[in-house]
Amino acid sequence: MDSSVDTNNIGLKKGDSIFGYLIKRIVILKEINSFFYELEHTATRARHVHISNNDSENTFSVAFKTVPTDSTGVAHILEHTVLCGSSKFQVRDPFFSMLKRSLSTFMNAFTASDWTMYPFSTQNRKDFYNLMDVYLDAAFFPNIKELSFMQEGHRLEIEGDSSSLAYKGVVYNEMKGAMSSPDQVMARSILKALYPSTTYRHNSGGNPADIVSLTYDQLKAFHKRHYHPSNSFFYTYGNLPLADHLSFIEEKILKTFKFIDPDTTVATQPRRNKPEKKSFPYPLGKNEDPKKKCQVSLSWLMVDIKDNYKVLALTLLEQVLLGNPASPLRRALIESKLGTALSDQTGFDANNRDTMFACGLKDVEETDAEKVESIILDVLNKLASKGVDKKLIESAIHQLEFHRKEVTNTPYPYGIKLLLTFSGSWFHGGDPVKILQFDADLKKLRNALSKDPFFETLIRKYFLENPHRVLLTLVPDQLMEQKEAKRVEEKLIRIKSAMHPDELGKIIENTKALKKLQESIEDVSSLPTLEIEDIPTSIQKVNETAGSDKMPAVCYEQPTSGIFYLSAAAGTEWLKKELIFLVPFFCYAVPKIGTAVRDYSEMARRIDAYTGGIGLSANARTCFDETGSLKPFVSFNGKSLVRNQAKMFDIIEELLFKHSFSDLSRLKSLLLEFRAGLESAVIQNGHRLAISVASRNFSPASALSEIWGGIHQLKAIKSITGNLSDSSLESISNDLSAIAEKLFTRNNLKIALIGENNDLAQGSNLLNQSKGLSGTSLQVSDKIDELLCDIDFDNKITREGWSTSSAVSFVAQTFKAVRMQHEDAPALSVISKILRSMYLHREIREKGGAYGGFAVYNSEDGLFSFGSYRDPHIVTTLKTYSSAFDFIKSGNYKSEDIKEAILQVCSEIDKPHPPGPAAKKAFFRKIVSLSDDMRRHFKESLLALTKKQVTEAAEKYFSSSAKNQAIAVISGEDALKAANKKLPGNPLKLYRI
């Protein structure tokens, strides 16, 4: 195959005019085996980038520069509202309806500080054009009805029997939840402080206090100005022909528009001539200790986003300064012991017109802010005067090279990840090719490094001699939520007292109209859909390489583009019970604490210089065989460029078999850092944590999963970090050593090697040469009497409320069902999708104003759960879950609804994975005895599912009494207490996180 010829687009060349577009340039992207096309629509000047390659997971996106002039969240609310029906698709909610009628691997919309994007990915050509049709009509010809604005943005309603007014709205509640999170408050505070005179000073997502002032007319005006082809950026990616995309977009959209000047250029921020200090509050629970709960961040305004060379240099400098535990700035901050972890938003941010850099510490005394600043400036001064370690620079370049080469689909499909690497620069007039093909800039940078003190000059210019910097302190305010609630209450009382009776009547009328709209059964037949026949009957599988059984590891030959992967699993069955809760921290600490041979700094440098990352994690799984027994293990993953295979094996051997936890100072730092990470994840992952708590008493795996990854993990870590004396650190150090000695024993390590043919042979040789990994030098496990598989768990049904600092709630309910091998499993997976799309979405999101409501069937453990996210309600949501039982048993759904649910399940089953990650998944399926035959049988049964089977399963599993329903709620303490007043007969047992 000629790599200079794009076989997807034969005959297209620079200068061609095609369907109203001019092809401005075509560039071969050798590094990612792709072709880059840059086009402009002649009549409207709409921009289009297409990346052509052999990837069947095709991607589409249309984006607009959206430049808010206030914090009403107009761009964010518009993002929601355009998806509520359009000219061609007169459906209340075409976006969520298409989730049911598609095999998309990704569908969403994003609102950033100065742009809004509508991307999707799918492997099915018919699906691609179905989705593009809906997305284009939604963006360019939306209905934007006032009731949709009220539902998605904000509205006033009369609350229950009290006759008092209340604010409702999906975005309103979403942002109440977001602004409960310190990391969100920090992000908004830095932008406000660094960009005092540009759009970035405003909260593009919306500040709840400002959201309620946005008018319907302002929303429509914002759309008219910003959602125009002249302000648009189209993107397509994959193996479908470009001409078909252009023809479709021209015919459906562009032919009806002419050029306008949208006036959306974002001006550069005028520079200040002296540093500033700012302080902002964030909400902290009234029962938490406010001492040492500040965050301190030092932030600088950097270079223009279009200056690709300097952006690349600063990206590398970020890696040098902060990228690993040995990085000088990171090390100095953590070793100061002034805080526990790097502050939120630390790093170089190249998303805004003017880029920025921030770093600092969290869990700091307010009076220590200037000490943190001094540490940062001292490190930078020393580096500028004494020089930057050349090894750190080479290590940073290696990380850049590795992550460009590796193809992953986490957290987004690869086509969307590529778009997000250059979109910020592109939207501001930058050149995407220079970002995708940065070898010329890297060569220029290497040349500069050989001649001048390059990074030292960069540090002086953009840090030490740059007066546009802010020392920002985030200060806990334990009354903040209470004061805000009181402010809103008093405002609503004033609004109501000033209202004319006709205005109150209008509120009641609007509430009824919205409810009627939400409850109406609508005809969605105008929306395109796939059929069962469009679903491939096969499953994605990766076979072991022939002869694997004769090797010391399972081998998977995969086209991994010069990257080699090692994955391993070590069973934890034989650990003493008192050590169990420490396993997640053990996983966190092993690559970060050093070994008996090297200290943590030297080991961190080696890992960054020769690998793409090494990590361990704790897994509480259930075997898919007939026993259904608990399968707990620590997974271990390493990856490297092929040229560094031997180095990676050396590093792994040293980490696993020459472990040492004797550096007590480093151990203390890691414990506090680990705790800070768990604490900051509570609000972001509230729905998952609530489900974990609710599920924990149904099986050993669920109990262990909660101990390792739930609120009980945070509680346990809080307990041991309360008093970290030398003696307690010594004890923890001994416990960690005991875990290592039990895990890394002969016959307890299962290993997989993943790569291309020759690399596997080399990997097998290296494995055989490794005394530890091959097992030749290891002791056979010294088994103890009591297996972890017999882990105790309370048979009581959970009914709990867990309080934290949050203005919204996360409500979960779980009950026992059956596992994947049972004949009813496919029906339960379909029921979860029917409940989400046909009932919970309407009741919890549309009516209730929560950001999301969903149902999840866990086929591994045989559990069925309900959950809500950023929910203004608790009791109402629990009643909705009860009503959901009646809905699903009623059979009030059609065969078409079941087909749509099957499509949704298959969309998850068939989600593609790049070669390396796909093989890793195959290896870990082998560990838990999930065979390809089981997966194939499940999918075949799913595709053959009938309405009769679904209704029979609904009757069987959704008739159980409330006694068997476990409930867990994460919310603010006041909200939990108020909920209990409405649950007098069966209140939640309350705890504090």
Side-chain angles (χ1 to χ4, degrees), residues 597-613:
V597 180
R598 293 175 178 83
D599 69 12
Y600 81 87
S601 175
E602 196 179 349
M603 181 52 80
R605 284 170 173 247
R606 278 174 63 77
I607 289 171
D608 249 21
Y610 300 116
T611 81

Side-chain angles (χ1 to χ4, degrees), residues 180-187 189-190 278-283 290-298 338-346 358-370 372 471-476 676 679-680:
S180 295
S181 178
D183 70 314
Q184 285 291 317
V185 178
M186 176 63 91
S189 300
I190 291 174
K278 297 280 185 183
S279 178
F280 294 92
Y282 79 93
K291 189 183 178 188
K292 292 199 76 170
K293 278 295 180 181
C294 288
Q295 288 201 48
V296 176
S297 177
L298 193 59
L338 292 174
T340 62
L342 296 179
S343 55
D344 292 323
Q345 307 304 315
T346 286
C359 60
L361 283 170
K362 60 171 60 171
D363 296 331
V364 177
E365 291 270 17
E366 189 173 358
T367 53
D368 285 340
E370 290 185 6
V372 173
L471 178 64
L472 190 147
T473 308
L474 214 58
V475 182
E679 287 176 328
S680 65

Side-chain angles (χ1 to χ4, degrees), residues 939-952:
K939 188 173 182 183
E940 288 170 354
S941 301
L942 178 70
L943 293 174
L945 204 62
T946 63
K947 183 180 178 184
K948 182 172 181 286
Q949 288 171 292
V950 172
T951 52
E952 285 176 354

Side-chain angles (χ1 to χ4, degrees), residues 405-406 558-565 642 754-756 759 915-916:
K405 194 177 258 293
E406 186 182 32
Q558 291 282 85
T560 53
S561 306
I563 291 176
F564 182 79
Y565 297 87
V642 168
I754 302 159
E756 291 164 11
D759 309 327

Side-chain angles (χ1 to χ4, degrees), residues 351-453:
N351 288 307
N352 301 328
R353 169 65 196 271
D354 297 288
T355 59
M356 56 166 275
F357 188 100
C359 60
L361 283 170
K362 60 171 60 171
D363 296 331
V364 177
E365 291 270 17
E366 189 173 358
T367 53
D368 285 340
E370 290 185 6
K371 291 180 184 175
V372 173
E373 180 182 35
S374 294
I375 290 167
I376 295 167
L377 294 177
D378 286 350
V379 169
L380 294 171
N381 270 304
K382 283 177 187 171
L383 290 170
S385 59
K386 295 184 179 179
V388 178
D389 187 334
K390 295 287 191 290
K391 287 183 180 177
L392 282 174
I393 296 169
E394 283 303 317
S395 175
I397 292 171
H398 165 257
Q399 287 298 309
L400 196 71
E401 180 188 3
F402 181 92
H403 291 293
R404 177 174 66 171
K405 194 177 258 293
E406 186 182 32
V407 177
T408 69
N409 61 351
T410 307
Y412 308 114
Y414 185 65
I416 294 174
K417 284 177 70 175
L418 270 187
L419 169 61
L420 292 174
T421 62
F422 66 78
S423 57
S425 174
W426 183 34
F427 299 161
H428 290 289
D431 183 358
V433 170
K434 285 190 176 178
I435 295 170
L436 293 168
Q437 205 174 45
F438 56 74
D439 285 7
D441 280 339
L442 193 56
K443 186 177 180 181
K444 179 181 172 184
L445 189 145
R446 281 192 179 279
N447 189 43
L449 282 169
S450 67
K451 296 176 181 176
D452 308 307

Side-chain angles (χ1 to χ4, degrees), residues 649-886:
F649 272 88
D650 287 345
I651 291 167
I652 291 171
E653 172 105 1
E654 187 175 322
L655 286 173
L656 299 191
F657 307 111
K658 295 178 182 174
H659 50 80
S660 172
F661 302 93
S662 59
D663 183 344
L664 299 188
S665 176
R666 178 63 178 161
L667 179 59
K668 182 176 181 179
S669 292
L670 288 174
L671 280 162
L672 293 172
E673 194 174 87
F674 185 65
R675 170 179 168 161
L678 293 176
E679 287 176 328
S680 65
V682 171
I683 298 298
Q684 293 298 330
N685 295 310
H687 54 311
R688 293 192 188 96
L689 291 171
I691 287 175
S692 177
V693 172
S695 303
R696 75 180 190 274
N697 287 338
F698 287 111
S699 72
S702 302
L704 185 57
S705 184
E706 170 61 20
I707 291 167
W708 279 353
I711 287 171
H712 287 79
Q713 171 66 194
L714 173 55
K715 294 286 283 182
I717 295 299
K718 271 187 168 182
S719 175
I720 65 166
T721 53
N723 174 30
L724 288 174
S725 63
D726 284 352
S727 61
S728 63
L729 285 167
E730 193 74 51
S731 175
I732 294 168
S733 170
N734 291 336
D735 286 345
L736 294 171
S737 295
I739 291 172
E741 284 159 17
K742 284 293 178 190
L743 288 186
F744 306 135
T745 55
R746 192 190 299 177
N747 302 327
N748 196 40
L749 270 179
K750 293 183 179 176
I751 297 173
L753 305 180
I754 302 159
E756 291 164 11
N757 188 288
N758 292 337
D759 309 327
L760 285 176
Q762 172 69 5
S764 293
N765 288 336
L766 289 165
L767 191 62
N768 282 322
Q769 291 165 25
S770 164
K771 291 181 179 178
L773 290 171
S774 64
T776 56
S777 69
L778 299 184
Q779 298 298 311
V780 176
S781 178
D782 195 16
K783 296 188 179 182
I784 54 176
D785 294 336
E786 197 169 13
L787 270 174
L788 173 58
C789 290
D790 297 326
I791 187 169
D792 296 327
F793 63 99
D794 193 338
N795 280 311
K796 291 178 184 174
I797 299 296
T798 303
R799 191 175 175 86
E800 297 171 353
W802 288 82
S803 64
T804 188
S805 181
S806 177
V808 289
S809 303
F810 306 88
V811 184
Q813 180 171 313
T814 300
F815 65 91
K816 188 77 174 168
V818 289
R819 300 177 62 237
M820 179 180 172
Q821 298 90 316
H822 194 281
E823 63 181 1
D824 293 332
L828 286 166
S829 67
V830 160
I831 285 170
S832 72
K833 303 303 180 188
I834 292 173
L835 282 170
R836 178 175 190 162
S837 59
M838 296 186 68
Y839 191 77
L840 298 171
H841 176 77
R842 180 185 73 210
E843 297 296 321
I844 292 175
R845 182 182 166 107
E846 292 183 346
K847 290 186 186 177
Y851 188 68
F854 53 92
V856 180
Y857 167 55
N858 174 348
S859 64
E860 182 172 325
D861 293 309
L863 300 178
F864 198 100
S865 300
F866 296 94
S868 70
Y869 186 68
R870 290 181 178 170
D871 192 344
H873 304 290
I874 296 175
V875 176
T876 303
T877 298
L878 290 172
K879 288 178 180 175
T880 299
Y881 295 161
S882 296
S883 302
F885 277 54
D886 297 327

Side-chain angles (χ1 to χ4, degrees), residues 76 347 359 463 508 554 568 700:
H76 187 189
C359 60
F463 291 86
I508 295 168
V554 181

Side-chain angles (χ1 to χ4, degrees), residues 282-347:
Y282 79 93
L284 183 72
K286 59 188 177 185
N287 296 307
E288 294 187 51
D289 183 357
K291 189 183 178 188
K292 292 199 76 170
K293 278 295 180 181
C294 288
Q295 288 201 48
V296 176
S297 177
L298 193 59
S299 310
W300 288 264
L301 207 60
M302 292 275 159
V303 301
D304 191 303
I305 194 173
K306 297 194 296 293
D307 191 336
N308 296 301
Y309 178 61
K310 285 177 183 166
V311 167
L312 174 67
L314 287 164
T315 301
L316 288 168
L317 184 56
E318 174 200 26
Q319 181 68 21
V320 168
L321 294 174
L322 296 164
N324 67 62
S327 299
L329 189 49
R330 184 189 194 107
R331 183 174 184 174
L333 284 166
I334 295 299
E335 290 190 350
S336 74
K337 307 295 185 188
L338 292 174
T340 62
L342 296 179
S343 55
D344 292 323
Q345 307 304 315
T346 286

